[in-house]
Amino acid sequence: MASNAVVCVGYFVLVLLSVSSEGSRHDGELSHGDILQRQEADRVVELPGQPAVDFKQYAGYVTVNESHGRALFYWFFEATSKPEKKPLSFGSMEAESRRLREEERKCWERKKQISGRVLWFLEEERTPCLSFFRSPGCSSVGIGEAEEVGPFFPQKDEQTLKLNPHRWNKAANLLFIESPVGVGFSYTNTSSDLYQLGDEITANDSYTFLVNWFKRFPQFKSHDFYIAGESYAGHYVPQLAEVIFDNNKHVPEFNYINLKGCMVGNALMDDETDQTGMVDYAWDHAVISDRVYNNIKIKCNFSRPNPTQDCKKALNAYFDVYYIIDMYNLYIPTCVSNSSISSNRQHPVIQGVAPQIFSKFDGWQKRLAGYDPCAPNYTKVYLNRPDVQKALHANVTNISYPWTQCSEIVPVWWDSPASLLPTLKKLIAGGIRIWVLSGDTDGRIPVTSTRLTLNKLGLKINKEWTPWYTHHKQVGGWTIEYEGLMFVSIRGAGHQVPSFKPRQALQIVRHFLANKKLSSTPF
């Protein structure tokens, strides 16, 4: 299948901050020497305990605000095959860079001839690029890379990495970004920045990161670009896509980002339907009693941001259940490790994030999210090792706190829209490909919530509830093909679809990138 994109999976590489940032050049371009130097400085030759691989990886920092000293950390993996037409090397880079710039100039001239539309024409196949995002305060490196779709999974011995057989860089060049600052290795030299965070600054900083990252890696600039993520990425992904979409209409050629599509899984998209669906799903799956369910229905109005005292009492009974089972997958065990490391990833208590009612409850904020339920332990130990950080060019400023999957220093979230449906409608109208995934054993953003949300979106249905098949003639889930949007459910998957159904997740992302429907007949 033809594939010519870059997939952006959530959080993002920069050389040491002692070198000047990309933003310091007013002409928007770096010299060939700077490009080569910066790429080589970010090159990750080998990680401690890493198996041998035949693809390149890069990691480091990109400055997004020079005056405040804000920098986002990234980890980038080239695709396992044909990441670009020519391999990146010192000998070929300069000629390749010249060829790409000339190609882009011709494309830009052709684009300007098309009235009212912005198109990006490619003469040859190029592997897409994908970026992946996670929840507010949580790391796409620690969760997305190390437990879901990345090449390397830290192991129980806390010394070695396992090569993920279903890694997504088999389908695309894969970029992880730790965003916003205060998450993972990303940082700011201006402490007040941590009290100004929200959806808008996250989207704008991520956009600035991408513009500067593509200046450092111009050989990927003409590739198709996709954004993917899960959970709160139902906010992050469409908001970043909207910033790219709007800026693409007026930016100079060298800042144009070839955005093609977005994919979100078990995604927070609309407060009212997300919260209603959580309660309905819990009752349908025998998690809460009739009494608790009916009490919530009588006393809570999820179309309002602030719960009454009676509603709070009713919801406390609902959340009590998720102290003894995992909200993120109703049917997996919890971690009973004797490790001295805090045994479970805890979502931070951040005031102000959506959904406006549920986010006020400890039960929403601080539930387990393990899939190997002890995997967060292994990742936390591994990424806090000095030799690992040195290999990744991470923690170059000696951050005063340890790396964690979910930040403990982001105290408040200033803006979090109750619904992202208007943004989704705008992107669909603009021709951006949208796929929405839903693992059907997740209680956090369950399939019930997603179906209610998509119904509220009011799109025309082109093809109703249809099974799709995975290997050995097994039903992988169901799809609904809307006008401009594809919904995909995944049987037996929890909140993090790739952790529970990795083969199916790779199958889905390959079809998404190729704009190809999943098979509706057994194979």
Side-chain angles (χ1 to χ4, degrees), residues 129-437:
C129 292
L130 174 71
S131 182
F132 189 88
F133 287 84
R134 265 303 261 148
S135 304
C138 293
S139 164
S140 67
V141 165
I143 302 174
E145 193 292 318
E147 297 177 26
E148 296 189 81
V149 305
F152 302 128
F153 290 177
Q155 296 301 286
K156 188 175 182 179
D157 63 7
E158 299 170 349
Q159 300 295 317
T160 58
L161 297 173
K162 175 185 176 182
L163 186 62
N164 174 14
H166 304 292
R167 54 196 178 275
W168 279 17
N169 71 325
K170 287 185 173 183
N173 298 293
L174 194 56
L175 176 63
F176 296 90
I177 310 163
E178 292 193 304
S179 176
V181 293
V183 171
F185 293 122
S186 296
Y187 69 90
T188 176
N189 292 329
T190 306
S191 58
S192 60
D193 283 350
L194 298 175
Y195 294 86
Q196 306 299 322
L197 297 177
D199 283 14
E200 183 176 358
I201 193 171
T202 300
N204 289 331
D205 276 2
S206 296
Y207 175 74
T208 301
F209 169 94
L210 288 173
V211 169
N212 289 339
W213 188 88
F214 277 118
K215 291 176 184 176
R216 187 174 303 173
F217 291 88
Q219 68 269 35
F220 295 105
K221 190 168 168 294
S222 62
H223 294 222
D224 291 347
F225 184 73
Y226 295 86
I227 314 173
E230 63 194 9
S231 195
Y232 199 82
H235 281 226
Y236 283 168
V237 169
Q239 288 170 330
L240 175 56
E242 182 179 31
V243 174
I244 296 171
F245 181 80
D246 289 343
N247 278 285
N248 274 351
K249 296 174 183 177
H250 58 77
V251 294
E253 172 189 354
F254 50 79
N255 285 345
Y256 186 91
I257 296 174
N258 195 26
L259 177 66
K260 292 295 184 180
C262 302
M263 183 169 67
V264 292
N266 293 79
L268 192 76
M269 295 183 287
D270 183 86
D271 277 12
E272 181 183 8
T273 50
D274 288 339
Q275 294 171 129
T276 298
M278 285 181 67
V279 175
D280 289 351
Y281 181 89
W283 182 80
D284 285 342
H285 288 73
V287 172
I288 58 175
S289 68
D290 291 359
R291 178 187 60 80
V292 170
Y293 176 73
N294 290 327
N295 208 23
I296 293 171
K297 287 294 184 180
I298 292 170
K299 296 179 179 178
C300 294
N301 183 347
F302 294 133
S303 64
R304 296 177 181 173
N306 296 308
T308 64
Q309 288 301 315
D310 285 344
C311 176
K312 288 180 180 179
K313 291 179 182 177
L315 288 175
N316 279 330
Y318 160 84
F319 281 113
D320 281 347
V321 180
Y322 290 120
Y323 282 91
I324 57 175
I325 64 172
D326 194 333
M327 177 185 279
Y328 294 78
N329 187 329
L330 303 189
Y331 308 115
I332 65 164
T334 56
C335 180
V336 291
S337 169
N338 292 322
S339 170
S340 60
I341 298 294
S342 176
S343 65
N344 297 295
R345 171 173 52 248
Q346 301 287 309
H347 279 272
V349 177
I350 304 176
Q351 299 300 319
V353 296
Q356 291 300 316
I357 292 180
F358 277 33
S359 64
K360 293 177 172 63
F361 289 80
D362 246 16
W364 166 263
Q365 303 264 21
K366 303 182 73 173
R367 290 299 83 225
L368 311 182
Y371 300 99
D372 169 350
C374 302
N377 296 357
Y378 320 148
T379 302
K380 185 173 182 179
V381 171
Y382 185 81
L383 289 179
N384 275 297
R385 287 172 50 180
D387 57 343
V388 172
Q389 293 181 2
K390 182 178 180 181
L392 287 172
H393 319 120
N395 196 16
V396 295
T397 59
N398 296 317
I399 299 170
S400 62
Y401 46 86
W403 182 95
T404 56
Q405 277 97 346
C406 295
S407 174
E408 298 173 359
I409 66 165
V410 177
V412 66
W413 205 253
W414 281 103
D415 61 295
S416 187
S419 179
L420 268 293
L421 298 188
T423 303
L424 287 174
K425 288 180 180 179
K426 176 179 177 179
L427 295 173
I428 291 169
I432 303 300
R433 187 183 315 155
I434 306 290
W435 280 35
V436 175
L437 315 183

